């Protein structure tokens, strides 16, 4: 709608990118390398975070400082940083509305604000995170607390979980568990610690090669797995979780109450609430992710809108590895549109997840949307447990991220 009399006219940019995380910054940098101008990134946070290291922080193999940089330091040269939060998108009028009350008009819009952690979706879960005994590698503030709790434990019960539904890098939920188990084994106390993993699926991972490797590590560490199950409630005072069986027998009300000494939790996740309320998600989709063509990453109903990363309703498993290819596709297709050409770049649903299964080894799984193996690196046996892939994931990839990916060069 038009601004009211006396209101300032909306600012206009040729390309507006919502979100200054991996997706937004790497895309802006790549577009600049391709010659695009008039780019604005809308991002309220003053910090830029490298999320793959959160698991290492929670597992005691990285420091918080390694995963954070000032947001201003990663904004590409020639790109305008709008430090504000989006509260609405009027795709019919090519306008976004900001928390400050300002508006921005756009020629092309890219929606990549990331994913929302729904801590309140499980009764008592937020209270547990605020207590002395709960932590998570899915929040930068809770990750160092996780390592403090896991490092100091010498006996008792630890519960880890993976929630049902879409989430960012689902494999990350398991990484601190393996890092902690290896640490406890080195300290000689693993035999005195009961480790329980709750997963909503019949296997710990869907891709077969990685799943076999993870099953082997689970047996090695003596981890108890509750398959086809989810945590439906937490009592932070009593330190118990309710584990509900999601299988066929769940119709009989099968549930288990488990007492814990430490709870490492991953919350249910969805699109940001403000995004759910726009016209961009598929009608009737409660997750609220932006409806796009899964190959071109262009909105089905609004040709000037694109989406990638965790906020896009794509077919792949959400991950940074998937995002790297998506960024290239969106950049090429968006530039084609600006030049009056047809879009031709297509995303192939690739994703990957490096599982840190010990403090020196990784299972590096690469797969498509059907969880079929899709290795891209020329290493024989890369999807098996390897020390070399630990070096890649822990040492090399962070440097690639800060120095190449965020600059649109990888």
């Amino acid at each position: 709608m038009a601004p009211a009399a006396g209101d300032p006219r909306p600012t206009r940019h040729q390309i507006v990118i919502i979100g200054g995380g991996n997706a937004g910054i790497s895309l802006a940098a790549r577009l600049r390398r391709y010659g695009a101008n008039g780019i604005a990134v809308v991002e309220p946070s003053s910090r830029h975070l490298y999320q793959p290291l959160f698991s290492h922080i929670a597992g005691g193999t990285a420091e918080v400082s390694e995963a954070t940089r000032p947001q201003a330091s990663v904004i590409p040269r020639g790109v305008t940083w709008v430090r504000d939060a989006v509260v609405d998108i009027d795709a019919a009028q090519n306008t976004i509305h900001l928390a400050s009350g300002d508006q921005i008009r756009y020629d092309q819009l890219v929606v990549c604000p990331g994913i929302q952690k729904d801590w309140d979706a499980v009764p008592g879960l937020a209270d547990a995170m605020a207590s002395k005994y709960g932590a998570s590698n899915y929040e930068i503030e809770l990750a160092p607390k996780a390592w403090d709790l896991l490092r100091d434990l010498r006996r008792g019960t630890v519960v880890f979980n993976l929630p049902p539904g879409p989430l960012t890098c689902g494999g990350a939920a398991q990484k601190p568990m393996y890092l902690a188990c290896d640490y406890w084994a080195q300290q000689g106390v693993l035999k005195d610690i009961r480790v329980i993993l709750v997963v909503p699926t019949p296997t710990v991972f869907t891709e077969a090669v990685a799943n076999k490797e993870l099953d082997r590590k689970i047996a090695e560490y003596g981890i108890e797995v509750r398959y086809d199950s989810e945590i439906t409630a937490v009592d932070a005072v009593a330190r118990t979780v309710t584990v509900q069986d999601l299988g066929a027998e769940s119709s009989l009300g099968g549930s288990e109450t488990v007492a814990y000494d430490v709870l490492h939790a991953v919350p249910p996740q969805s699109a940001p609430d403000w995004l759910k309320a726009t016209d961009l998600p598929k009608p009737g989709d409660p997750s609220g992710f932006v409806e796009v063509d899964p190959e071109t990453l262009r909105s089905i109903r609004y040709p000037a809108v694109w989406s990638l990363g965790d906020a896009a309703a794509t077919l792949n498993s959400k991950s940074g590895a998937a995002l790297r290819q998506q960024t290239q596709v969106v950049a090429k297709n968006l530039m084609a549109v600006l030049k009056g050409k047809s879009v031709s770049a297509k995303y192939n649903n690739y994703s990957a997840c490096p599982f840190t299964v010990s403090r020196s080894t990784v299972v590096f799984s690469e797969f498509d949307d059907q969880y079929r193996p899709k290795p891209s690196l020329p290493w024989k046996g890369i999807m098996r447990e390897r020390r070399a892939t630990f070096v890649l994931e822990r040492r090399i990839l962070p440097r690639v991220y800060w120095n190449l990916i965020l600059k649109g060069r990888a």
Side-chain angles (χ1 to χ4, degrees):
M1 59 184 175
D7 287 349
R9 294 185 62 82
T11 304
R12 188 181 192 98
H13 296 276
Q14 184 175 47
I15 302 170
V16 174
I17 300 173
I18 299 175
N22 183 348
I25 298 302
S26 57
L27 176 63
R30 188 169 290 275
L31 287 170
R32 285 292 292 150
R33 289 188 62 236
Y34 289 172
N37 295 302
I39 304 171
V41 172
V42 184
E43 171 56 54
S45 177
S46 62
R47 290 187 304 175
H48 186 94
L49 305 175
Y50 179 57
Q51 295 188 36
L53 278 182
F54 289 13
S55 297
H56 283 281
I57 296 168
T61 51
E63 300 294 331
V64 171
S65 60
E66 299 177 73
T68 62
R69 297 276 177 90
Q71 186 70 30
S73 71
V74 300
I75 300 293
R77 183 175 299 177
V79 171
T80 300
W81 176 23
V82 180
R83 191 174 175 185
D84 207 335
V86 178
V87 295
D88 194 18
I89 299 172
D90 185 347
Q93 297 296 322
N94 285 31
T95 303
I96 66 172
H97 299 261
L98 305 177
S100 63
D102 291 342
Q103 300 175 20
I104 299 178
R105 297 291 303 274
Y106 60 83
D107 295 329
Q108 300 290 323
L109 176 68
V110 184
V111 184
C112 49
I115 205 164
Q116 175 175 279
K117 280 79 171 183
D118 296 324
W119 290 103
D120 292 327
V122 177
L125 184 58
D127 291 337
M129 294 300 101
S131 75
K132 293 181 180 179
Y133 307 100
S136 175
N137 66 326
Y138 272 70
E139 299 284 1
I140 188 66
E141 292 78 14
L142 293 173
K145 179 186 177 185
W147 176 235
D148 288 343
L149 291 169
L150 298 172
R151 178 193 60 216
D152 294 343
L153 193 69
R154 288 297 178 266
R155 63 176 61 250
T157 299
V158 185
V159 176
F160 295 84
N161 81 301
L162 181 68
L167 69 159
T168 182
C169 195
Q174 300 179 41
K175 296 178 186 180
M177 177 182 70
Y178 300 122
L179 289 170
C181 284
D182 191 25
Y183 173 78
W184 293 324
Q186 293 174 18
Q187 298 299 307
V189 298
L190 180 59
K191 63 184 183 303
D192 298 316
I193 298 175
R194 184 187 186 195
V195 182
I196 298 174
L197 172 64
V198 181
V199 297
T201 48
T203 59
V204 291
F205 197 62
T206 308
E207 191 276 306
V209 177
N211 185 67
K212 185 175 180 180
E213 292 289 274
L214 298 179
D215 280 346
R216 179 174 57 79
K217 298 302 290 188
I218 284 170
E220 176 184 321
Y221 293 134
I223 298 168
E224 301 176 27
V225 183
R226 301 293 186 269
Y227 296 103
D228 292 314
S229 300
E230 68 171 306
I231 293 176
T232 55
V234 183
D235 187 328
V237 176
R239 276 189 278 162
T240 61
V241 295
T242 300
V243 179
Q244 179 68 48
D245 182 2
L246 301 175
E249 65 272 25
S250 65
S251 60
L252 302 176
S255 66
E256 176 187 10
T257 299
V258 178
Y260 64 82
D261 294 281
V262 174
L263 172 62
H264 182 283
V266 178
Q269 296 167 36
S270 64
D273 288 338
W274 65 262
L275 182 55
K276 296 176 188 175
T278 70
D279 293 331
L280 298 182
K282 183 177 181 179
D285 180 5
S287 68
F289 298 116
V290 179
E291 182 184 25
V292 293
D293 180 310
E295 291 186 332
T296 66
L297 305 178
R298 195 178 197 178
S299 170
I300 300 293
R301 288 170 289 133
Y302 297 98
V305 176
W306 311 76
S307 186
L308 70 161
D310 291 346
T314 48
L315 302 176
N316 61 282
S317 175
K318 299 179 186 297
S319 72
L323 182 56
R324 180 171 166 270
Q325 291 199 10
Q326 291 175 5
T327 301
Q328 297 176 32
V329 169
V330 172
K332 291 176 181 178
N333 284 339
L334 210 162
M335 290 302 297
V337 169
L338 293 178
K339 295 175 181 178
K341 299 179 181 180
S342 299
V343 300
S344 58
K346 294 182 178 181
Y347 172 54
N348 65 1
N349 301 318
Y350 168 89
S351 190
C353 183
F355 288 89
T356 49
V357 293
S358 79
R359 304 180 80 77
S360 61
T361 58
V362 155
V363 171
F364 199 94
S365 178
E366 298 180 284
F367 46 91
D368 63 14
D369 59 307
Q370 300 297 314
Y371 288 92
R372 296 171 297 204
K374 199 176 184 68
S376 66
L377 298 173
W379 294 2
K380 185 177 181 180
I382 190 173
M383 297 177 72
R384 306 289 182 181
E385 181 181 5
R386 293 284 185 269
R387 288 182 179 271
T389 44
F390 182 90
V391 174
L392 172 68
E393 191 263 350
R394 175 63 186 89
R395 302 298 177 189
I396 298 175
L397 290 183
R399 291 183 173 89
V400 170
Y401 181 78
W402 295 117
N403 298 312
L404 295 176
I405 291 176
L406 290 185
K407 297 179 180 179
R409 297 182 179 277

